[in-house]
């Protein structure tokens, strides 16, 4: 459905806060924003349930077809609807080969924060997805261009298999990373990087990168550096489950295959150590390509598996992630984007699905009758 002005109305939502179980009462105005007081004609949308801000997938790819390739407009729409119905109302798109801004015309679809296209070197990432630079000297200018084209984020490929050495290796020199990340920051954008292995991390962190994606190669030293700098981590744990299959397919590169298996075997310990060190961790599924959209519940459950308590895991996929991305939650004057669960979702995160999804003050999925 496309939401129209005719759908606008004021209402009251009552239930319990996910974080502490305390009673909460929220007022939504006809403009789709939270208000301080109920309107004179406000209806009670629901009187019970567990309420939390709209969920966040902080690493996904709207526009990459499951199995590979670029999506058409129909496919973009389908991906956005799947995420919305899972309760994901804010997406950080960590690189897409297609322009997804057509989705912004739909008020019933999640908001998307775009990082533009991945930036890589030839034959050092998945063909067809990145902007491939002929030489690393072009990186600062390309980073600035992607920063201006995106929504405050730029995505680098930090490492990938180098077929000449047969293993993961960094793409960029430490010196050019300093220039490139500074260029993004001058444009008011933050920078993140795909990193599986160990060797690319020191240079990226020394250059002042804002976030690391995956982070399976974190060591005690790089964990300490991230914690000291406040560098964020989006581990995409449901995608890491693909590492054994990636290794099995890499028969021509036995060193790389063994490396990927090792990274996979220790991922719980690695991400758990990052959490214990105080690194800010956010939930992202890496949907698109090898992971189906709509799997945020699986990612939340995976964060619990590696050591976050259930409330922390939901915070990483909701109110803390929204604050990190610049979208405050449940405050007067902000967009009424929230989900309601009939039962406490922390009891079984993998199975939990919102019973009611409200976006911009409109019910877009589920029904109050479920509550």
């Amino acid at each position: 459905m496309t939401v129209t002005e005719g759908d606008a109305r004021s209402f009251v939502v009552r239930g319990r806060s996910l974080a502490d179980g305390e009673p909460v009462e929220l007022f939504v105005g006809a403009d789709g924003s939270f208000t301080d007081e109920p309107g004179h004609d406000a209806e009670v949308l629901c009187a019970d349930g567990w309420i939390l801000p709209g969920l966040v997938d902080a690493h996904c790819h709207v526009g990459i077809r499951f199995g590979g390739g670029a999506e058409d407009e129909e496919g973009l729409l389908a991906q956005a609807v799947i995420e919305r119905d899972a309760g994901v109302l804010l997406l950080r798109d960590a690189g897409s080969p297609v322009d997804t801004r057509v989705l912004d015309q739909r008020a019933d679809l999640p908001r998307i924060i775009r990082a533009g296209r991945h930036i890589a070197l030839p034959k050092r990432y998945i063909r067809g997805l990145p902007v491939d630079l002929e030489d690393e000297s072009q990186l600062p200018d390309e980073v600035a261009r992607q920063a201006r084209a995106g929504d405050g984020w730029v995505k680098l490929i930090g490492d990938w298999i180098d077929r000449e050495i047969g293993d993961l290796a960094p793409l960029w020199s430490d010196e050019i990373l300093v220039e490139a990340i500074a260029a993004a920051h001058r444009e008011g954008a933050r920078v993140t990087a795909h990193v599986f292995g160990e060797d690319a991390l020191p240079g990226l962190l020394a250059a002042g990168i804002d976030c690391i994606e995956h982070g399976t190669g974190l060591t005690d030293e790089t964990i300490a550096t991230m914690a000291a700098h406040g560098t964020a981590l989006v581990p995409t744990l449901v995608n890491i489950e693909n590492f054994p299959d990636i290794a099995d397919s890499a028969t021509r590169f036995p060193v790389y295959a063994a490396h990927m298996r090792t990274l996979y075997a220790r991922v719980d310990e690695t991400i758990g150590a990052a959490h214990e060190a105080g690194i800010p961790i956010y939930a992202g599924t890496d949907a698109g390509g090898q992971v189906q959209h709509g799997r945020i519940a699986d990612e939340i459950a995976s964060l619990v598996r590696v050591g976050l308590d259930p409330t922390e895991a939901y915070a990483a996929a909701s109110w803390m992630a929204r604050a990190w991305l610049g979208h405050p939650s449940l405050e007067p004057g902000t967009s009424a984007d929230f989900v309601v669960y009939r039962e406490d979702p922390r009891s079984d995160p993998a199975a939990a699905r919102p019973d009611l999804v409200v976006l911009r003050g409109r019910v877009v999925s589920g029904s109050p009758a479920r509550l």
Side-chain angles (χ1 to χ4, degrees):
M1 58 172 262
T2 301
V3 175
T4 68
E5 283 301 308
D7 299 304
R9 59 193 175 95
S10 61
F11 55 84
V12 179
V13 182
R14 299 189 181 101
R16 287 164 284 178
S17 166
L18 180 66
D20 53 23
E22 290 296 313
V24 61
E25 184 176 55
L26 302 172
F27 309 123
V28 177
D31 66 350
S33 298
F34 289 111
T35 64
D36 288 309
E37 298 179 351
H40 70 278
D41 58 347
E43 307 171 29
V44 176
L45 183 68
C46 66
D48 196 13
W50 293 82
I51 302 169
L52 68 158
L55 301 179
V56 177
D57 191 329
H59 181 133
C60 68
H61 302 280
V62 179
I64 300 178
R65 182 176 290 117
F66 182 68
E71 279 286 8
D72 56 18
E73 187 172 329
E74 183 179 355
L76 299 180
L77 175 61
Q79 290 179 348
V81 168
I82 289 169
E83 294 289 359
R84 180 200 70 192
D85 291 350
V88 177
L89 304 183
L90 183 63
L91 304 167
R92 186 181 64 143
D93 190 313
S96 176
V98 299
D99 185 356
T100 61
R101 293 190 187 277
V102 64
L103 299 178
D104 294 349
Q105 301 173 24
R106 292 277 300 257
D108 60 334
L109 296 179
R111 291 177 173 85
I112 302 177
I113 298 171
R114 299 169 180 86
R117 294 187 67 174
H118 308 75
I119 306 175
L121 291 169
K123 299 182 180 180
R124 295 300 305 278
Y125 194 54
I126 301 168
R127 184 166 54 185
L129 296 188
V131 173
D132 287 328
L133 306 183
E134 295 179 1
D135 186 86
E136 73 161 26
S137 63
Q138 300 171 308
L139 184 62
D141 286 345
E142 183 60 32
V143 162
R145 190 177 77 83
Q146 293 295 333
R148 291 190 290 268
D151 298 318
W153 282 93
V154 177
K155 171 74 174 293
L156 305 179
I157 302 305
D159 70 0
W160 196 253
I161 185 172
D162 183 332
R163 288 166 176 79
E164 292 186 4
I165 67 172
D167 198 4
L168 293 167
L171 273 72
W172 319 103
S173 68
D174 293 353
E175 295 76 18
I176 204 67
L177 286 172
V178 172
E179 294 183 38
I181 292 172
H185 289 169
R186 284 195 296 272
E187 296 290 339
R190 290 182 278 183
V191 183
T192 193
H194 162 109
V195 190
F196 282 163
E198 299 85 354
D199 295 344
L201 287 163
L204 290 163
L205 295 173
I209 199 161
D210 302 282
C211 183
I212 295 295
E213 311 297 318
H214 316 302
T216 45
L218 285 167
T219 64
D220 290 345
E221 291 76 16
T222 48
I223 286 172
T225 301
M226 287 184 70
H229 292 179
T231 312
L233 173 64
V234 183
T236 68
L237 294 166
V238 296
N239 186 37
I240 305 308
E241 294 299 318
N242 289 308
F243 276 23
D245 289 339
I246 294 171
D248 290 346
S249 67
T251 55
R252 293 174 52 212
F253 305 103
V255 174
Y256 166 73
H259 195 177
M260 294 295 283
R261 291 189 180 98
T262 298
L263 293 171
Y264 173 73
R266 68 183 189 217
V267 66
D268 287 12
E269 178 183 354
T270 300
I271 306 305
H275 172 59
E276 290 179 6
I279 291 174
I281 293 176
Y282 302 103
T285 65
D286 209 355
Q290 290 187 299
V291 176
Q292 294 275 18
H293 281 269
R295 293 193 59 192
I296 193 63
D298 294 327
E299 186 66 21
I300 294 168
S302 295
L303 291 173
V304 174
R305 187 193 76 222
V306 302
L308 280 69
D309 71 41
T311 301
E312 291 174 326
Y314 273 98
S318 180
W319 58 94
M320 292 300 294
R322 295 180 69 89
W324 178 58
L325 294 171
H327 286 259
S329 307
L330 308 185
E331 300 173 8
T334 66
S335 181
D337 301 345
F338 62 95
V339 295
V340 185
Y341 296 83
R342 184 163 57 89
E343 305 292 341
D344 188 340
R346 294 172 296 187
S347 62
D348 188 1
R353 299 292 185 275
D355 294 283
L356 185 66
V357 180
V358 177
L359 175 62
R360 300 178 176 93
R362 279 81 163 174
V363 176
V364 292
S365 183
S367 169
R370 296 183 187 175
L371 299 168

